[in-house]
Amino acid sequence: MGTAVTHAPAMEDLTKDSEPRQRPAKSPRPAALKRRGRRETLAGYLFMSPWIAGFLLLTAGPMIASLYFAFTDYNLFDAPKWIGLDNFSEMFDDPRWQNSVKVTLWYVAVGTPIKLIAALGVALLLAQKRRGQAFYRAAFYAPSLIGASVSIAIVWKAIFSDDAIVDRTQKLFGIDVGGWTGDPDLIIYSLVALTVWQFGAPMVIFLAGLKQVPRELYEAAEVDGAGTLRRFWNITLPMISPVLFFNVLLETIHSFQIFSSAYIVGGGAGGSACGPADGSMVYTCYLYVQGFENSRMGLASAMAWVLLVGVALVTAVLFWSQKRWVHYEEGA
Amino acid sequence: MQQNRNVERRTVLKAAGASLAVAGLGATATACGGDSGSSGDGTVTIRYAWWGAEDRAERIKKTIALFEKKYPKIKVKTDFQVYPDFWKKFNTQASGGNPPDVFQNAIGFLRKYDAKNVLLDLSAQVEAGNLSLDGFRAGLEKFGEVDGKLLGIPVGSNSMALVIDKPVYTKSGVKPEQGWTWDDFDAAMKKIRDKAGRAGDSGMYGVMYLYDLYLRQNGKAFFTEDGLGFTESDLKQWWTKAEKGIKEGIYADPKKVAQTKPKSAVAAELAAGEFTWDNFTVRYTSEGKSEYGLAPIPTTDGKKTGQYLGSLMLSASKRTQHPKEVAQFINFMVHEPEVAEIMGYDRGVPATQAQYDAFKPTDPVNKAIAEYEESLVKAGVLEPITPHPNGADICESAFMRIAEELALGKRSVDDAVKQFFTESKTALGS
């Protein structure tokens, strides 16, 4: 790899990014190589240009525009009017906005841990060598593949509605709530159930992590007489903690962004936007309502930026906390 | 890694080629994107957007085929969504400067989109002779006029009614008649609950158009030119009655109503009746198993129902490149007798006399609608419509949502009333 690096400065940069702890010292380059290097750099940028153009046009541009709109009153038709921080103060005073924050935080705080526990539990089961293991892995992963689709959300709505399968099963046990999706307090549970059901992606990552744990550790522990629980607690968990951290981070961010499932289960086409009495009005749904139903793009932009800052804060807290519970094996 | 480098290069080249191809395709696509253009031989394409369901789509397809046969130089491209999605898409398209050339419209949106400079004033086309205002029934041609501008042409008229599940009403021994009062109505609701074991109504407290009628019966209206035409205490009264009705079980369980959406609570057999537009009977008949009929609106004084004719309209975009063709299209759709034969009462009773005469319903549902509208004319209860200001559509959805929150026990009456007035003031900018 060392020789390849001197020929391709662009690739050197890439390696630097992906492996920050492995920084090879820059080797001095002769003039001929330098010229060649410049040509390769140029070629590199040329090949990257579609992506760079895409980034500038489709990501950076809209982001800057939305940051500007966040401080304006903009209804899509008339020119945006600068109103300073009014959008933000209106937002914080709006009880519907406060409700959407509450619903979203609840969803993240309850849904994410259950989903991760489910993923880890199933990964532990699937990590063992069993017959038909490949089938089980595929079967458990399948919901995540199709899970993001609109059709699943529609099926979910049908399952949890009044007099549908869940409701009828409950009635067999004498619990009659009349369907979850019409109850402003229960609808959010059906969304939590939906996200937990899609635990396949973190499960696969957990599986990969579990494979990395050295067998010798378990053997040594067994010799010392450690039981299953003990081994899980003292070996498995610390050893996979970087993977766990990764999953917690990813799933938390992911949960904050819930939209399509809430939008569809809560009403979707033909119904009121997000759940009975705003029961499943998550943050992004309310953002959508303000932007596209009420034509208040300025306010919606402001909401988007508040969400971004909120997620950034949560992420920062998670990174700060990792020092306490994530163990990286030195020199690995 | 070393031996992979060639492969990688090739992949990279391929990827680059592919993205160039995609970019190229994108460019072609945008070139064709201005689809309301005209081609070399003078053929013009106009875009026509409307809301509704599959059933309406089939009928509209047939009317367009008819139009294209008669006007071979005009091609019509259609686009449809269900009602709420229609307006989201329209909003985005219109703000991007690319609204459909001609589209279905309703009274609540006229001022809104006029204020945003989206709607074409069709009076110039009337003067040019491309669009005729002759032969409309009951003064309907005035319906799309706002501040002297002609912003929409009615395709059909409809009126608020009480759509009922006939067998349930009969079983309960309730026979609604023109001029019955709200007290009669309340008594009927109780009778239906007790005798048929079903809620009498699906949730009238959240129907803005019904509340408007109730206010009109009392000399007020839901909207004025630029604000709300009633007070907080008016609404408090209306919703206090609603709260009581839900507790007593004379209005359907709002939890169940919420879950059957978009299917109506009447078709789902949750309620014996619902206040809505009379032409919805057609839809309920295809959704539900029972036999549906129309009952008159209850009154306060035994006479005045506060009713007016409502209407779906066709409007044109101010940005259209082909105002003449659009006017010809609208003209064809509202005057051509054959169009009425195809559409039936799907969008209400046809607005022009020629179309009204062309379609004489033979099936009981459409017959009932015709009879209902005729009975309104005979009873002389129809009045002129009150204005819908800019922001009326947002008020309507707030009214529906907050009424539902009240019904589900998430808000007290006081709280709900306060919330509605706060939101309406923002929406109406007053």
Side-chain angles (χ1 to χ4, degrees), chain B residues 231 247 311 315:
Chain B
T231 63
K247 280 203 189 103
S311 174
S315 289

Side-chain angles (χ1 to χ4, degrees), chain A residues 77 96 162 178 185 263 295, chain B residues 88 91 116 259 401 410:
Chain A
F77 290 89
R96 283 188 90 192
D162 178 37
D185 298 320
Y263 183 72
S295 308
Chain B
K88 282 172 205 158
N91 226 352
K116 295 184 190 321
Q259 290 176 86
R401 191 191 76 246
K410 281 290 177 186

Side-chain angles (χ1 to χ4, degrees), chain A residues 32-261:
Chain A
L33 275 181
K34 226 181 211 168
R35 216 176 310 125
R36 198 176 150 192
R38 202 174 303 136
R39 249 186 23 227
E40 290 208 0
T41 313
L42 206 69
Y45 279 119
L46 190 69
F47 281 124
M48 277 161 71
S49 60
W51 184 86
I52 293 174
F55 171 77
L56 290 177
L57 281 171
L58 302 174
T59 309
M63 274 183 82
I64 293 165
S66 123
L67 185 61
Y68 167 68
F69 290 146
F71 298 97
T72 64
D73 184 10
Y74 180 42
N75 65 8
L76 281 172
F77 290 89
D78 307 315
K81 209 166 58 211
W82 185 267
I83 53 167
L85 291 172
D86 284 8
N87 280 332
F88 295 91
S89 56
E90 185 192 334
M91 188 194 315
F92 294 131
D93 286 340
D94 177 6
R96 283 188 90 192
W97 181 84
Q98 292 162 7
N99 174 60
S100 77
V101 171
K102 224 170 67 193
V103 170
T104 311
L105 286 177
W106 192 93
Y107 171 81
V108 172
V110 175
T112 316
I114 302 180
K115 183 178 187 175
L116 290 174
I117 290 168
L120 181 57
V122 176
L124 284 169
L125 290 175
L126 294 184
Q128 292 158 23
K129 282 219 158 56
R130 287 276 157 79
R131 210 173 342 143
Q133 194 197 37
F135 167 77
Y136 287 118
R137 283 186 189 174
F140 279 111
Y141 187 63
S144 309
L145 281 178
I146 52 173
S149 72
V150 166
S151 51
I152 288 298
I154 294 173
V155 170
W156 214 253
K157 189 178 180 181
I159 290 176
F160 282 93
S161 284
D162 178 37
D163 215 27
I165 183 158
V166 173
D167 192 36
R168 285 187 186 195
T169 314
Q170 280 179 330
K171 276 179 190 151
L172 291 182
F173 295 98
I175 312 163
D176 188 3
V177 295
W180 296 25
T181 53
D183 190 316
D185 298 320
L186 281 182
I187 185 166
I188 192 77
Y189 287 94
S190 66
L191 292 178
V192 167
L194 178 55
T195 182
V196 171
W197 181 65
Q198 296 164 1
F199 62 70
M203 180 197 77
V204 167
I205 296 168
F206 274 133
L207 261 175
L210 288 171
K211 294 261 168 207
Q212 299 280 313
V213 182
R215 299 288 112 196
E216 311 90 77
L217 292 180
Y218 290 113
E219 284 156 18
E222 235 168 304
V223 171
D224 287 342
T228 320
L229 211 61
R230 185 88 202 223
R231 270 178 292 167
F232 172 73
W233 204 250
N234 286 357
I235 300 171
T236 313
L237 219 45
M239 288 303 288
I240 64 161
S241 60
V243 173
L244 184 62
F245 175 66
F246 176 80
N247 270 338
V248 168
L249 198 66
L250 225 59
E251 289 303 324
T252 307
I253 295 173
H254 194 69
S255 294
F256 269 110
Q257 294 167 339
I258 175 186
F259 175 74
S260 49
S261 55

Side-chain angles (χ1 to χ4, degrees), chain B residues 243-353:
Chain B
E243 201 180 38
K244 195 165 149 254
I246 298 157
K247 280 203 189 103
E248 289 173 348
I250 60 173
Y251 302 139
D253 181 352
K255 254 163 63 178
K256 298 199 172 180
V257 174
Q259 290 176 86
T260 53
K261 275 179 195 169
K263 192 176 179 179
S264 88
V266 175
E269 303 191 352
L270 294 172
E274 181 163 82
F275 287 97
T276 185
W277 300 102
D278 53 8
N279 60 321
F280 275 40
T281 329
V282 180
R283 196 190 108 195
Y284 291 2
T285 305
S286 68
E287 270 179 5
K289 291 187 217 101
S290 192
E291 189 192 334
Y292 304 98
L294 291 157
I297 303 285
T299 63
T300 303
D301 61 0
K303 286 198 282 277
K304 199 170 137 91
T305 61
Q307 272 167 292
Y308 49 85
L309 287 183
S311 174
L312 289 179
M313 292 173 274
L314 291 178
S315 289
S317 151
K318 210 170 206 169
R319 292 229 182 196
T320 182
Q321 304 287 313
H322 313 290
K324 184 183 159 210
E325 285 79 2
V326 163
Q328 287 173 326
F329 176 77
I330 296 175
N331 194 58
F332 181 84
M333 286 299 165
V334 296
H335 291 293
E336 175 63 44
E338 270 186 80
V339 169
E341 283 167 32
I342 296 167
M343 293 307 295
Y345 287 173
D346 179 75
R347 291 181 298 195
V349 178
T352 53
Q353 194 62 42

Side-chain angles (χ1 to χ4, degrees), chain B residues 28-285:
Chain B
T28 345
T30 20
C32 310
D35 34 25
S36 49
S38 29
S39 60
D41 62 346
T43 305
V44 150
T45 304
I46 57 175
R47 283 189 303 149
Y48 172 31
W50 49 274
W51 68 81
E54 290 296 334
D55 176 48
R56 186 175 289 174
E58 283 303 314
R59 294 167 197 259
I60 283 189
K61 227 164 76 188
K62 283 186 203 152
T63 62
I64 287 173
L66 206 60
F67 174 76
E68 286 180 338
K69 218 167 94 192
K70 211 152 196 182
Y71 293 85
K73 294 249 177 228
I74 307 175
K75 294 266 163 281
V76 182
K77 267 174 66 176
T78 62
D79 180 13
F80 75 96
Q81 259 90 31
V82 291
Y83 179 76
D85 294 341
F86 174 88
W87 288 108
K88 282 172 205 158
K89 183 167 180 185
F90 181 83
N91 226 352
T92 320
Q93 286 180 327
S95 62
N98 189 30
D101 297 285
V102 53
F103 55 96
Q104 192 168 307
N105 204 349
I107 186 82
F109 299 91
L110 282 186
R111 270 201 168 71
K112 172 179 180 158
Y113 287 109
D114 182 40
K116 295 184 190 321
N117 240 339
V118 173
L119 304 177
L120 180 71
D121 184 355
L122 288 161
S123 30
Q125 293 302 321
V126 174
E127 277 159 36
N130 296 323
L131 178 59
S132 158
L133 289 185
D134 297 336
F136 278 86
R137 293 188 306 118
L140 273 169
E141 72 275 8
K142 296 263 177 226
F143 195 81
E145 255 185 43
V146 170
D147 308 329
K149 283 178 276 187
L150 185 60
L151 302 178
I153 306 294
V155 289
S157 71
N158 40 34
S159 191
M160 283 297 281
L162 175 58
V163 177
I164 58 171
D165 188 324
K166 263 177 155 172
V168 177
Y169 261 67
T170 316
K171 198 173 148 199
S172 318
V174 176
K175 213 165 174 296
E177 272 161 9
Q178 190 69 256
W180 67 332
T181 63
W182 286 104
D183 290 337
D184 298 337
F185 174 76
D186 294 340
M189 293 295 102
K190 288 204 180 90
K191 236 173 156 180
I192 291 167
R193 179 197 62 192
D194 297 339
K195 295 225 167 121
R198 191 179 295 181
D201 189 273
S202 70
M204 51 177 276
Y205 43 84
V207 185
M208 184 193 88
Y209 287 99
L210 177 71
Y211 187 49
D212 186 29
L213 296 189
Y214 180 78
L215 288 168
R216 288 163 60 106
Q217 290 174 8
N218 291 289
K220 297 177 179 176
F222 201 98
F223 293 116
T224 62
E225 287 275 337
D226 53 5
L228 296 175
F230 59 101
T231 63
E232 294 197 20
S233 80
D234 288 331
L235 185 57
K236 206 172 280 182
Q237 229 178 8
W238 180 253
W239 275 348
T240 306
K241 213 175 140 192
E243 201 180 38
K244 195 165 149 254
I246 298 157
K247 280 203 189 103
E248 289 173 348
I250 60 173
Y251 302 139
D253 181 352
K255 254 163 63 178
K256 298 199 172 180
V257 174
Q259 290 176 86
T260 53
K261 275 179 195 169
K263 192 176 179 179
S264 88
V266 175
E269 303 191 352
L270 294 172
E274 181 163 82
F275 287 97
T276 185
W277 300 102
D278 53 8
N279 60 321
F280 275 40
T281 329
V282 180
R283 196 190 108 195
Y284 291 2
T285 305

